[in-house]
Amino acid sequence: MRKFDKDRLILGFAGPALALVVAFLLTSVVLLLSGRDPIEPYQLMFDSAEFTDVQVLIINQTGTYYLAALAVAIGFRMNLFNIGVDGQYRLAVMLAAVVGASVELPGPLHVLLIVVVAMLVGAMWAGIAGVLKTTRGVSEVVSTIMLNAIATSLIAWMILPANLGVQLPGSNDLTTGEIAESGWVPGVELEGGSIYGFTVVAFALGIVYWFVLNRTRFGFDLRATGASESAARASGVDSKKMILTAMLISGAVAGLAGLPLLLGQTHTYSLSFPVGVGFTGITIALLGRNNPIGIFFAALLISFLEKTSADLDQFGYEKEIATIMQGLIVISVVVSYELVRQYGLRRQQQKVGEELAAQARKNKEVAA
């Protein structure tokens, strides 16, 4: 059992807390400069969150964002910046929807097939970046950005009616066809709507993520390689293999990010499917400090901002206030974490100095 470190716990909370306070203050300044009330939008958002239907929307969105952020966090723990989660998620959910709509199996098998396809496609697409990095030294930042663009074009081509898409009569939208009911995941019915059944799976993966990372040899090797490739290599860890494995796992989890919505509501992929989920996942992973509990609360916060700001324009406030706040959170996270890190280093040096001074006094007393 590791000794409880109160200072470490406090510093862990200090970074996100400082980032949020700064983001809210800066957003209020923006509202003041534009001649608006700096407090009323927050009150309106909290009032909106009291409605059950909005609460359901927040929880459902949290599940999707949680999976995307976990995918990003897996890369972060390996010191890999997987910006391609958005492309991996969209390509995976699109092909999973195509396969799901083309077959009809007994319920569990049908759902399992869709899940496996989504994970394999996501892993394959992320694996391209992993192979390029381990064999050619190509930065995963550059390759995943390019793969996002390729995924967008590939999806646009595949969803054409001449290929894998279906255009419903009287509609301009293109879909992949509807998945049979055997491939749906039933949700939890509430007065304000239905919580996606796959959202439970999303949160359960957070427990798996924590266990694998902190209680297995693989998790230790992954964290060690992320901290120092040379040190990990010296201890017998194949760093290139770990990089490729981390990218594959990150892509597989990214492939699951679209399943709460696909299996719980739309039952098809269309041009109106959400985009930008992967980029929001980066914000959430940073704010949550790659910790599954921190990621949950960060995903809940971002979902709260998005869903409760939807009606702000009815009261004379632009709903983009939430977008501004999210951007400020990202900037504040970077600055606050650096300030907290520097303070932690100074505090650690001070404690070491105090311990050395105490030991020196003790030695002097013994000698006397």
Side-chain angles (χ1 to χ4, degrees), residues 272-333:
S272 58
F273 218 82
V275 297
V277 170
F279 298 108
T280 305
I282 295 174
T283 301
I284 294 169
L286 286 172
L287 184 58
R289 305 200 72 167
N290 303 322
N291 180 284
I293 297 177
I295 290 173
F296 170 77
F297 285 109
L300 189 64
L301 171 65
I302 298 300
S303 300
F304 168 84
L305 292 175
E306 286 191 2
K307 298 305 179 183
T308 58
S309 64
D311 296 330
L312 283 179
D313 52 357
Q314 297 181 12
F315 301 93
Y317 294 94
E318 291 77 7
K319 60 183 179 181
E320 284 73 22
I321 289 174
T323 305
I324 294 172
M325 190 176 296
Q326 289 181 32
L328 291 174
I329 286 174
V330 175
I331 298 173
S332 302
V333 160

Side-chain angles (χ1 to χ4, degrees), residues 11-351:
L11 289 174
F13 280 109
L18 180 60
L20 292 177
V21 170
V22 171
F24 277 99
L25 288 176
L26 290 177
T27 304
S28 298
V29 171
V30 172
L31 288 168
L32 278 173
L33 293 176
S34 60
R36 306 295 183 86
D37 189 318
I39 303 299
E40 187 180 21
Y42 305 136
Q43 294 175 337
L44 293 171
M45 285 192 285
F46 278 107
D47 290 342
S48 177
E50 294 179 358
F51 295 97
T52 309
D53 57 338
V54 176
Q55 293 170 4
V56 169
L57 290 174
I58 291 172
I59 294 173
N60 286 335
Q61 190 68 70
T62 299
T64 296
Y65 283 162
Y66 191 72
L67 287 169
L70 280 183
V72 175
I74 292 169
F76 279 166
R77 296 309 296 263
M78 260 291 298
N79 203 24
L80 295 171
F81 206 175
N82 183 9
I83 300 182
V85 167
D86 199 66
Q88 295 151 22
Y89 133 79
R90 288 186 290 116
L91 188 63
V93 73
M94 190 260 181
L95 290 177
V98 170
V99 173
S102 63
V103 299
E104 189 169 350
L105 301 170
L109 289 178
H110 199 167
V111 173
L112 180 61
L113 175 64
I114 294 171
V115 170
V116 170
V117 170
M119 293 182 68
L120 289 177
V121 173
M124 179 273 295
W125 204 245
I128 297 174
V131 170
L132 289 174
K133 184 174 180 65
T134 54
T135 60
R136 298 297 180 184
V138 178
S139 169
E140 75 281 0
V141 175
V142 176
S143 59
T144 51
I145 289 176
M146 295 298 102
L147 285 168
N148 276 341
I150 295 172
T152 299
S153 299
L154 191 58
I155 291 170
W157 176 77
M158 287 192 299
I159 204 170
L160 292 174
N163 298 317
L164 301 176
V166 176
Q167 185 169 6
L168 299 176
S171 173
N172 292 326
D173 198 11
L174 299 176
T175 76
T176 55
E178 185 171 357
I179 298 172
E181 192 170 351
S182 59
W184 301 2
V185 175
V188 180
E189 295 296 332
L190 299 177
E191 183 180 349
S194 176
I195 297 176
Y196 303 149
F198 206 82
T199 299
V200 178
V201 178
F203 297 148
L205 278 178
I207 300 175
V208 176
Y209 166 82
W210 175 87
F211 180 82
V212 172
L213 207 62
N214 297 282
R215 293 292 184 269
T216 66
R217 173 59 188 270
F218 171 79
F220 174 80
D221 290 346
L222 188 146
R223 288 183 286 114
T225 307
S228 173
E229 282 190 39
S230 57
R233 194 159 43 245
S235 64
V237 178
D238 187 339
S239 59
K240 289 187 176 182
K241 180 180 178 181
M242 289 304 300
I243 290 172
L244 180 57
T245 302
M247 287 299 295
L248 289 172
I249 296 175
S250 177
V253 175
L256 296 175
L259 296 191
L261 180 60
L262 176 68
L263 302 181
Q265 180 180 334
T266 64
H267 311 303
T268 187
Y269 180 90
S270 68
L271 296 178
S272 58
F273 218 82
V275 297
V277 170
F279 298 108
T280 305
I282 295 174
T283 301
I284 294 169
L286 286 172
L287 184 58
R289 305 200 72 167
N290 303 322
N291 180 284
I293 297 177
I295 290 173
F296 170 77
F297 285 109
L300 189 64
L301 171 65
I302 298 300
S303 300
F304 168 84
L305 292 175
E306 286 191 2
K307 298 305 179 183
T308 58
S309 64
D311 296 330
L312 283 179
D313 52 357
Q314 297 181 12
F315 301 93
Y317 294 94
E318 291 77 7
K319 60 183 179 181
E320 284 73 22
I321 289 174
T323 305
I324 294 172
M325 190 176 296
Q326 289 181 32
L328 291 174
I329 286 174
V330 175
I331 298 173
S332 302
V333 160
V334 176
V335 176
S336 64
Y337 283 4
E338 180 60 23
L339 291 175
V340 169
R341 186 186 71 83
Q342 292 180 4
Y343 172 80
L345 288 175
R346 288 196 300 269
R347 177 61 179 160
Q348 187 177 21
Q349 292 169 355
Q350 181 183 356
K351 288 178 67 176

